[in-house]
Amino acid sequence: TGFMSNRGRQNVCSFLALDMNHDWTRGADYFESVLLDYDVHSNWGNWCAGAGMTGGRVNRFNIVKQSKDYDPNGDYLRLWLPELKKLPKEFIHEPWKMTQFHQMEYGVRLGVDYPNPLIPPFSPKKGGNRSGRSPSNSKNRRRVRR
């Protein structure tokens, strides 16, 4: 549509720059090219900050939790991802948790009708390492939005 909420923008930035470890400038450039409400200062400044380049607090978002918090019934997901429209609430935010039986029942084959996750899904660990990933990389030790 050319519009995106600020929370959506933050989630995309967090996933691309922090989870996928991609160059944040590519995300900022893409948003510049497709968003109708684009503002040069807000866009580039927020991408820079979201990627942790400003020296301030870094918010690494748990994308699944954000999805559940802001779209608890999955209505938004079903609207924009029609291949998931038949999924019940228990799988709409995490379709990769479906068994082969569920995939047949709901008509969604992972890796065919809907892609498998690009990276292992984020799951914060209780205690210690809040990132849910290996503590060996300091980039992974960031504040997690719960």
Side-chain angles (χ1 to χ4, degrees):
T1 66
F3 296 94
M4 180 181 257
S5 70
N6 186 56
R7 181 55 55 127
R9 294 172 199 228
Q10 290 175 323
N11 276 283
V12 171
C13 179
S14 175
F15 183 76
L16 184 75
L18 304 178
D19 292 338
M20 296 289 294
N21 200 28
H22 280 277
D23 179 358
W24 66 270
T25 62
R26 296 187 71 188
D29 186 54
Y30 179 74
F31 273 27
E32 179 178 352
S33 72
V34 297
L35 293 177
L36 300 176
D37 61 347
Y38 166 79
D39 171 76
V40 66
H41 304 289
S42 297
N43 183 59
W44 286 86
N46 288 333
W47 271 93
C48 182
M53 308 312 294
T54 59
R57 182 178 85 186
V58 176
N59 289 323
R60 182 175 184 190
F61 289 89
N62 177 333
I63 305 302
V64 172
K65 182 181 182 312
Q66 293 288 305
S67 180
K68 289 177 179 179
D69 286 351
Y70 290 93
D71 185 26
N73 296 316
D75 298 332
Y76 184 85
L77 292 173
R78 286 184 188 89
L79 175 67
W80 294 104
L81 301 168
E83 60 270 37
L84 301 182
K85 69 183 171 209
K86 295 179 184 175
L87 294 189
K89 185 177 175 180
E90 83 179 278
F91 295 122
I92 191 68
H93 300 282
E94 300 171 290
W96 55 87
K97 289 187 172 182
M98 289 190 296
T99 64
Q100 293 282 350
F101 172 77
H102 291 123
Q103 291 177 48
M104 289 177 55
E105 181 179 358
Y106 301 119
V108 178
R109 295 167 297 162
L110 296 176
V112 178
D113 303 309
Y114 187 79
N116 286 304
L118 296 172
I119 59 174
F122 181 88
S123 60
K125 303 287 186 208
K126 292 189 179 189
N129 179 12
R130 297 182 74 191
S131 72
R133 293 205 174 64
S134 169
S136 63
N137 182 348
S138 63
K139 283 187 177 184
N140 288 334
R141 291 187 293 239
R142 302 191 187 266
R143 184 171 194 271
V144 176
R145 288 292 267 214
R146 296 185 178 246

